[in-house]
PDB file of all heavy atoms in Angstrom:
ATOM      1  N   VAL A 181     -16.854  13.988  -4.732  1.00 97.00           N
ATOM      2  CA  VAL A 181     -18.141  13.401  -4.329  1.00 97.00           C
ATOM      3  C   VAL A 181     -18.012  11.881  -4.360  1.00 97.00           C
ATOM      4  O   VAL A 181     -17.867  11.278  -5.427  1.00 97.00           O
ATOM      5  CB  VAL A 181     -19.272  13.880  -5.258  1.00 97.00           C
ATOM      6  CG1 VAL A 181     -20.624  13.389  -4.736  1.00 97.00           C
ATOM      7  CG2 VAL A 181     -19.256  15.402  -5.361  1.00 97.00           C
ATOM      8  N   ALA A 182     -18.024  11.290  -3.162  1.00 96.00           N
ATOM      9  CA  ALA A 182     -17.777   9.845  -3.031  1.00 96.00           C
ATOM     10  C   ALA A 182     -18.846   9.176  -2.177  1.00 96.00           C
ATOM     11  O   ALA A 182     -18.587   8.198  -1.494  1.00 96.00           O
ATOM     12  CB  ALA A 182     -16.396   9.616  -2.407  1.00 96.00           C
ATOM     13  N   ALA A 183     -20.065   9.721  -2.231  1.00 93.00           N
ATOM     14  CA  ALA A 183     -21.111   9.222  -1.329  1.00 93.00           C
ATOM     15  C   ALA A 183     -21.984   8.158  -1.972  1.00 93.00           C
ATOM     16  O   ALA A 183     -22.866   7.603  -1.322  1.00 93.00           O
ATOM     17  CB  ALA A 183     -21.980  10.388  -0.856  1.00 93.00           C
ATOM     18  N   GLY A 184     -21.744   7.832  -3.246  1.00 87.00           N
ATOM     19  CA  GLY A 184     -22.620   6.882  -3.940  1.00 87.00           C
ATOM     20  C   GLY A 184     -22.436   5.466  -3.417  1.00 87.00           C
ATOM     21  O   GLY A 184     -21.419   5.134  -2.810  1.00 87.00           O
ATOM     22  N   ARG A 185     -23.434   4.652  -3.698  1.00 82.00           N
ATOM     23  CA  ARG A 185     -23.383   3.250  -3.282  1.00 82.00           C
ATOM     24  C   ARG A 185     -23.107   2.325  -4.443  1.00 82.00           C
ATOM     25  O   ARG A 185     -23.243   1.123  -4.312  1.00 82.00           O
ATOM     26  CB  ARG A 185     -24.732   2.825  -2.661  1.00 82.00           C
ATOM     27  CG  ARG A 185     -25.046   3.412  -1.303  1.00 82.00           C
ATOM     28  CD  ARG A 185     -24.179   2.825  -0.207  1.00 82.00           C
ATOM     29  NE  ARG A 185     -22.881   3.499  -0.174  1.00 82.00           N
ATOM     30  CZ  ARG A 185     -21.895   3.191   0.638  1.00 82.00           C
ATOM     31  NH1 ARG A 185     -22.009   2.220   1.493  1.00 82.00           N
ATOM     32  NH2 ARG A 185     -20.761   3.840   0.593  1.00 82.00           N
ATOM     33  N   GLY A 186     -22.835   2.887  -5.621  1.00 66.00           N
ATOM     34  CA  GLY A 186     -22.759   2.071  -6.839  1.00 66.00           C
ATOM     35  C   GLY A 186     -21.861   0.866  -6.662  1.00 66.00           C
ATOM     36  O   GLY A 186     -20.676   1.000  -6.357  1.00 66.00           O
ATOM     37  N   THR A 187     -22.414  -0.311  -6.849  1.00 55.00           N
ATOM     38  CA  THR A 187     -21.608  -1.534  -6.773  1.00 55.00           C
ATOM     39  C   THR A 187     -21.637  -2.262  -8.109  1.00 55.00           C
ATOM     40  O   THR A 187     -21.306  -3.422  -8.192  1.00 55.00           O
ATOM     41  CB  THR A 187     -22.115  -2.471  -5.661  1.00 55.00           C
ATOM     42  OG1 THR A 187     -23.517  -2.656  -5.836  1.00 55.00           O
ATOM     43  CG2 THR A 187     -21.839  -1.898  -4.306  1.00 55.00           C
ATOM     44  N   ARG A 188     -21.999  -1.551  -9.177  1.00 57.00           N
ATOM     45  CA  ARG A 188     -22.020  -2.190 -10.490  1.00 57.00           C
ATOM     46  C   ARG A 188     -20.629  -2.616 -10.937  1.00 57.00           C
ATOM     47  O   ARG A 188     -20.490  -3.445 -11.814  1.00 57.00           O
ATOM     48  CB  ARG A 188     -22.618  -1.240 -11.540  1.00 57.00           C
ATOM     49  CG  ARG A 188     -24.128  -1.297 -11.610  1.00 57.00           C
ATOM     50  CD  ARG A 188     -24.654  -0.317 -12.649  1.00 57.00           C
ATOM     51  NE  ARG A 188     -24.429   1.057 -12.245  1.00 57.00           N
ATOM     52  CZ  ARG A 188     -24.641   2.102 -13.033  1.00 57.00           C
ATOM     53  NH1 ARG A 188     -25.061   1.916 -14.269  1.00 57.00           N
ATOM     54  NH2 ARG A 188     -24.435   3.330 -12.606  1.00 57.00           N
ATOM     55  N   ALA A 189     -19.598  -1.982 -10.340  1.00 52.00           N
ATOM     56  CA  ALA A 189     -18.234  -2.350 -10.714  1.00 52.00           C
ATOM     57  C   ALA A 189     -17.870  -3.742 -10.215  1.00 52.00           C
ATOM     58  O   ALA A 189     -16.780  -4.235 -10.450  1.00 52.00           O
ATOM     59  CB  ALA A 189     -17.233  -1.321 -10.191  1.00 52.00           C
ATOM     60  N   GLY A 190     -18.791  -4.392  -9.514  1.00 59.00           N
ATOM     61  CA  GLY A 190     -18.527  -5.740  -9.021  1.00 59.00           C
ATOM     62  C   GLY A 190     -17.858  -5.680  -7.666  1.00 59.00           C
ATOM     63  O   GLY A 190     -17.355  -4.634  -7.247  1.00 59.00           O
ATOM     64  N   GLY A 191     -17.870  -6.788  -6.948  1.00 64.00           N
ATOM     65  CA  GLY A 191     -17.245  -6.816  -5.638  1.00 64.00           C
ATOM     66  C   GLY A 191     -18.184  -6.279  -4.581  1.00 64.00           C
ATOM     67  O   GLY A 191     -19.253  -5.738  -4.866  1.00 64.00           O
ATOM     68  N   ALA A 192     -17.761  -6.428  -3.336  1.00 73.00           N
ATOM     69  CA  ALA A 192     -18.622  -6.078  -2.221  1.00 73.00           C
ATOM     70  C   ALA A 192     -18.594  -4.583  -1.949  1.00 73.00           C
ATOM     71  O   ALA A 192     -19.495  -4.046  -1.319  1.00 73.00           O
ATOM     72  CB  ALA A 192     -18.184  -6.855  -0.981  1.00 73.00           C
ATOM     73  N   LEU A 193     -17.561  -3.903  -2.412  1.00 83.00           N
ATOM     74  CA  LEU A 193     -17.382  -2.499  -2.065  1.00 83.00           C
ATOM     75  C   LEU A 193     -17.897  -1.589  -3.172  1.00 83.00           C
ATOM     76  O   LEU A 193     -17.787  -1.909  -4.347  1.00 83.00           O
ATOM     77  CB  LEU A 193     -15.897  -2.201  -1.855  1.00 83.00           C
ATOM     78  CG  LEU A 193     -15.233  -2.849  -0.653  1.00 83.00           C
ATOM     79  CD1 LEU A 193     -13.726  -2.629  -0.715  1.00 83.00           C
ATOM     80  CD2 LEU A 193     -15.797  -2.287   0.639  1.00 83.00           C
ATOM     81  N   PRO A 194     -18.442  -0.416  -2.794  1.00 87.00           N
ATOM     82  CA  PRO A 194     -18.762   0.571  -3.824  1.00 87.00           C
ATOM     83  C   PRO A 194     -17.512   0.919  -4.629  1.00 87.00           C
ATOM     84  O   PRO A 194     -16.387   0.803  -4.148  1.00 87.00           O
ATOM     85  CB  PRO A 194     -19.242   1.781  -3.014  1.00 87.00           C
ATOM     86  CG  PRO A 194     -19.724   1.200  -1.723  1.00 87.00           C
ATOM     87  CD  PRO A 194     -18.832   0.017  -1.451  1.00 87.00           C
ATOM     88  N   LYS A 195     -17.749   1.373  -5.868  1.00 89.00           N
ATOM     89  CA  LYS A 195     -16.637   1.511  -6.817  1.00 89.00           C
ATOM     90  C   LYS A 195     -15.511   2.419  -6.317  1.00 89.00           C
ATOM     91  O   LYS A 195     -14.347   2.183  -6.597  1.00 89.00           O
ATOM     92  CB  LYS A 195     -17.166   2.016  -8.160  1.00 89.00           C
ATOM     93  CG  LYS A 195     -17.917   3.333  -8.041  1.00 89.00           C
ATOM     94  CD  LYS A 195     -18.792   3.601  -9.243  1.00 89.00           C
ATOM     95  CE  LYS A 195     -19.589   4.876  -9.032  1.00 89.00           C
ATOM     96  NZ  LYS A 195     -20.569   5.094 -10.103  1.00 89.00           N
ATOM     97  N   GLN A 196     -15.872   3.473  -5.536  1.00 93.00           N
ATOM     98  CA  GLN A 196     -14.823   4.413  -5.107  1.00 93.00           C
ATOM     99  C   GLN A 196     -13.846   3.778  -4.118  1.00 93.00           C
ATOM    100  O   GLN A 196     -12.753   4.286  -3.902  1.00 93.00           O
ATOM    101  CB  GLN A 196     -15.425   5.699  -4.524  1.00 93.00           C
ATOM    102  CG  GLN A 196     -16.247   5.536  -3.272  1.00 93.00           C
ATOM    103  CD  GLN A 196     -17.715   5.284  -3.575  1.00 93.00           C
ATOM    104  OE1 GLN A 196     -18.069   4.719  -4.601  1.00 93.00           O
ATOM    105  NE2 GLN A 196     -18.593   5.706  -2.689  1.00 93.00           N
ATOM    106  N   TRP A 197     -14.246   2.646  -3.535  1.00 92.00           N
ATOM    107  CA  TRP A 197     -13.385   1.974  -2.548  1.00 92.00           C
ATOM    108  C   TRP A 197     -12.663   0.781  -3.152  1.00 92.00           C
ATOM    109  O   TRP A 197     -11.926   0.079  -2.453  1.00 92.00           O
ATOM    110  CB  TRP A 197     -14.212   1.527  -1.340  1.00 92.00           C
ATOM    111  CG  TRP A 197     -14.760   2.693  -0.593  1.00 92.00           C
ATOM    112  CD1 TRP A 197     -16.067   3.109  -0.538  1.00 92.00           C
ATOM    113  CD2 TRP A 197     -14.026   3.640   0.194  1.00 92.00           C
ATOM    114  NE1 TRP A 197     -16.174   4.244   0.216  1.00 92.00           N
ATOM    115  CE2 TRP A 197     -14.946   4.591   0.689  1.00 92.00           C
ATOM    116  CE3 TRP A 197     -12.674   3.766   0.527  1.00 92.00           C
ATOM    117  CZ2 TRP A 197     -14.545   5.667   1.492  1.00 92.00           C
ATOM    118  CZ3 TRP A 197     -12.282   4.828   1.324  1.00 92.00           C
ATOM    119  CH2 TRP A 197     -13.222   5.753   1.798  1.00 92.00           C
ATOM    120  N   GLN A 198     -12.877   0.505  -4.415  1.00 90.00           N
ATOM    121  CA  GLN A 198     -12.206  -0.644  -5.011  1.00 90.00           C
ATOM    122  C   GLN A 198     -10.747  -0.299  -5.339  1.00 90.00           C
ATOM    123  O   GLN A 198     -10.385   0.857  -5.479  1.00 90.00           O
ATOM    124  CB  GLN A 198     -12.969  -1.099  -6.251  1.00 90.00           C
ATOM    125  CG  GLN A 198     -14.354  -1.583  -5.827  1.00 90.00           C
ATOM    126  CD  GLN A 198     -14.960  -2.580  -6.787  1.00 90.00           C
ATOM    127  OE1 GLN A 198     -14.295  -3.131  -7.637  1.00 90.00           O
ATOM    128  NE2 GLN A 198     -16.245  -2.795  -6.619  1.00 90.00           N
ATOM    129  N   ASP A 199      -9.972  -1.370  -5.453  1.00 88.00           N
ATOM    130  CA  ASP A 199      -8.535  -1.195  -5.662  1.00 88.00           C
ATOM    131  C   ASP A 199      -8.223  -0.957  -7.130  1.00 88.00           C
ATOM    132  O   ASP A 199      -8.687  -1.684  -8.000  1.00 88.00           O
ATOM    133  CB  ASP A 199      -7.789  -2.446  -5.181  1.00 88.00           C
ATOM    134  CG  ASP A 199      -6.292  -2.303  -5.385  1.00 88.00           C
ATOM    135  OD1 ASP A 199      -5.644  -1.696  -4.515  1.00 88.00           O
ATOM    136  OD2 ASP A 199      -5.774  -2.771  -6.416  1.00 88.00           O
TER     137      ASP A 199
END
Side-chain angles (χ1 to χ4, degrees):
V181 186
R185 289 289 82 182
T187 51
R188 274 179 292 172
L193 293 171
K195 57 198 176 187
Q196 63 270 29
W197 295 109
Q198 296 205 14
D199 180 83

